[in-house]
Amino acid sequence: MADNRDRRPPSTQGPQQALKDIEFIKELISRNKRKVDESPPYLLIWGTYVMLGFVGMHFDMSVWPNWYWAIGAIAASALTAVTGIRQARRSPSPASEVGAFGWMFWLPFLAVFLTGSFLLFSGIVRAEHASFLWMSLVGVAYVSLGPLTGRGTVVLGLWFIVLAIATRAFLLDYQFLVLGLLGGGSLVATGFVLLLRGKAR
């Protein structure tokens, strides 16, 4: 006679875990959609910052970059912080959840800043190539946000990388004008498009 002592009912852990994973993915997609809906102010702030910075350098390479990039970064960061606080107060998600996701969203840009600064200050990349370096690194940061925000940021990041390569190869004399209008300008245009799309819903 067969021993029934080792017979156990089939485990339900597999199906239950699969349902939990599906719910987590659905919640993550929902949060990502809300984050994209909240992105226009940031695109407008930093797009304007990049656009004015590069266009200004086309006309003045001696005084403008020495003060604009630092002071502009402080002003843009302050506006970003104020915008983030206001959005967090309006968000239906718990504050801790919003904060954690915010860190995930901004982490690639922090990595870009540290990497670019190291390459420039260490002399690995020469100053005359700084514009192409920053545009390419920002493009990589946007591409890396793809799993969080979808293909829109991937397309924007690839555009930045291609723009940096094409400008370096064919439009070197107009690099600042091109990177400002087509690089920073693309962020501003994307911000306006998403803002209008959100109002139309």
Side-chain angles (χ1 to χ4, degrees):
M1 185 174 179
D3 189 357
N4 294 328
R5 287 178 298 177
D6 292 333
R7 293 183 180 180
R8 298 180 178 88
S11 174
T12 59
Q13 185 176 1
Q16 288 178 352
Q17 185 61 43
L19 290 175
K20 290 180 180 179
D21 292 342
I22 292 172
E23 289 299 321
F24 173 76
I25 293 172
K26 289 169 62 178
E27 176 60 23
L28 185 60
I29 293 173
S30 176
R31 271 187 283 166
N32 293 343
K33 185 176 182 299
R34 290 197 299 269
K35 178 56 82 174
V36 172
D37 292 341
E38 295 173 351
S39 65
Y42 305 108
L43 294 172
L44 295 174
I45 292 169
W46 291 101
T48 301
Y49 169 71
V50 171
M51 183 168 59
L52 292 179
F54 280 134
V55 171
M57 289 178 68
H58 179 77
F59 299 100
D60 179 12
M61 276 291 294
S62 58
V63 178
W64 177 260
N66 290 335
W67 67 269
Y68 173 79
W69 290 113
I71 296 177
I74 294 172
S77 298
L79 288 173
T80 298
V82 171
T83 301
I85 292 171
R86 289 180 176 177
Q87 289 180 346
R89 289 175 178 173
R90 296 195 305 264
S91 176
S93 302
S96 59
E97 187 176 280
V98 173
F101 189 77
W103 275 110
M104 292 173 64
F105 186 84
W106 291 109
L107 188 59
F109 295 101
L110 177 61
V112 160
F113 173 77
L114 294 175
T115 302
S117 299
F118 166 73
L119 293 175
L120 286 173
F121 289 120
S122 64
I124 296 175
V125 176
R126 292 185 295 181
E128 57 266 31
H129 299 150
S131 58
F132 308 111
L133 170 69
W134 287 115
M135 190 61 63
S136 300
L137 288 178
V138 170
V140 172
Y142 274 109
V143 170
S144 69
L145 286 172
L148 287 175
T149 58
R151 64 181 180 181
T153 52
V154 175
V155 173
L156 193 59
L158 292 176
W159 163 247
F160 274 25
I161 295 171
V162 171
L163 183 64
I165 295 172
T167 304
R168 178 67 178 85
F170 304 109
L171 298 167
L172 190 58
D173 293 337
Y174 301 96
Q175 57 173 299
F176 300 123
L177 201 59
V178 172
L179 295 178
L181 295 177
L182 298 183
S186 64
L187 289 176
V188 174
T190 303
F192 274 119
V193 169
L194 292 176
L195 191 63
L196 294 175
R197 185 181 297 174
K199 290 182 178 180
R201 290 177 181 173

